[in-house]
């Protein structure tokens, strides 16, 4: 969802500096929403529109295909970057770059182990961080494999999750019947 709180503009702001030094990279932005027009204008105004692809809404299986085809997943939201997109990228063993802005994100991402956490005050370093990762496939793969291991340890299978929820609902029904 392209919403102001997701702060996709932060990524777009850093891309001209990255693209000057990394000639082959592109940025794919998945989703649609309120910010779509403004973000596309930002790309046009900074001359990067040819290297930023806006997919619009995609079904879940296509999002997973894009995760699998990507090198790095970037999330720069103001409040929490620990949403479905992050977990999907982790399950796909992607290198993560995100803002260190809450406990949930810090629980999922350990900087230097399974991703890179940056302070909201260090966003000027983002082009250099991305360039370093793009130029170091071994590091990206290592961070990505570690994200998958963390995701496997924290996420439950659908069957396990459904069983847990059924037990919780049954418990609530029993307690309300008393």
């Amino acid at each position: 969802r392209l919403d102001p709180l997701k702060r996709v503009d932060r990524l777009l702001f850093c891309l001209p500096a990255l693209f000057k030094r990394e000639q082959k990279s592109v940025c794919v932005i998945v989703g649609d929403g309120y910010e779509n027009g403004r973000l596309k204008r930002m790309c046009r105004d900074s001359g990067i529109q040819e290297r930023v692809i806006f997919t619009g809404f995609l079904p879940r299986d296509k999002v997973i295909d894009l995760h699998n085809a990507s090198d790095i997943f970037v999330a720069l939201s103001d409040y929490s970057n620990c949403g479905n997109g992050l977990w999907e990228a982790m399950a796909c063993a992607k290198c993560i770059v995100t803002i260190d802005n809450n406990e949930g994100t810090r629980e999922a991402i350990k900087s230097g182990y399974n991703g890179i956490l940056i302070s909201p005050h260090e966003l000027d370093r983002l082009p250099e961080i991305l360039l370093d990762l793009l130029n170091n496939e071994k590091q990206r793969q290592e961070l990505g494999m570690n994200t998958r291991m963390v995701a496997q340890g924290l996420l439950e299978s659908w069957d396990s999750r459904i069983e847990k929820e059924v037990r919780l609902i049954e418990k609530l029904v029993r307690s309300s019947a008393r």
Side-chain angles (χ1 to χ4, degrees), residues 15 23 49 59 65 67 79 98 100 121 141 167 175:
L15 289 179
Q23 300 300 314
Q49 70 274 10
D65 289 344
H67 279 307
Y79 300 107
T98 190
D100 182 3
H121 309 292
Q141 287 179 349
R167 285 192 308 272
S175 68

Side-chain angles (χ1 to χ4, degrees), residues 131-169:
L131 183 65
D132 288 347
L133 289 168
L134 288 170
N135 288 323
N136 190 335
E137 183 175 356
K138 183 179 179 206
Q139 181 185 21
R140 279 195 327 270
Q141 287 179 349
E142 184 177 311
L143 292 170
M145 292 310 296
N146 289 341
T147 64
R148 178 179 282 157
M149 288 188 323
V150 169
Q152 288 172 338
L154 293 174
L155 297 175
E156 298 179 39
S157 70
W158 281 112
D159 290 339
S160 174
R161 170 116 184 238
I162 294 295
E163 286 177 30
K164 183 186 273 185
E165 289 183 20
V166 166
R167 285 192 308 272
L168 178 61
I169 291 169

Side-chain angles (χ1 to χ4, degrees), residues 79-135:
Y79 300 107
S80 176
N81 293 294
C82 199
N84 286 346
L86 180 97
W87 291 108
E88 291 164 352
M90 289 176 71
C92 292
K94 291 297 126 183
C95 176
I96 308 290
V97 175
T98 190
I99 293 179
D100 182 3
N101 61 0
N102 70 50
E103 197 59 41
T105 303
R106 281 188 292 280
E107 182 179 345
I109 304 298
K110 306 291 185 232
S111 197
Y113 173 70
N114 69 332
I116 306 294
L117 290 176
I118 60 174
S119 161
H121 309 292
E122 298 179 295
L123 288 170
D124 58 325
R125 292 186 47 233
L126 189 57
E128 193 67 35
I129 290 167
L130 294 174
L131 183 65
D132 288 347
L133 289 168
L134 288 170
N135 288 323

Side-chain angles (χ1 to χ4, degrees), residues 10-28 46-48 51-52 71-74 76 97 123-136 140:
R10 287 175 166 157
L11 177 60
L12 296 180
F13 185 74
C14 94
L15 289 179
L18 174 67
F19 289 163
K20 282 181 188 174
R21 297 180 62 198
E22 173 51 55
Q23 300 300 314
K24 298 180 287 184
S25 60
V26 296
C27 176
V28 179
S46 61
I48 61 172
R51 295 178 67 185
V52 179
D71 291 316
I72 302 169
F73 176 82
V74 180
L76 304 171
V97 175
L123 288 170
D124 58 325
R125 292 186 47 233
L126 189 57
E128 193 67 35
I129 290 167
L130 294 174
L131 183 65
D132 288 347
L133 289 168
L134 288 170
N135 288 323
N136 190 335
R140 279 195 327 270

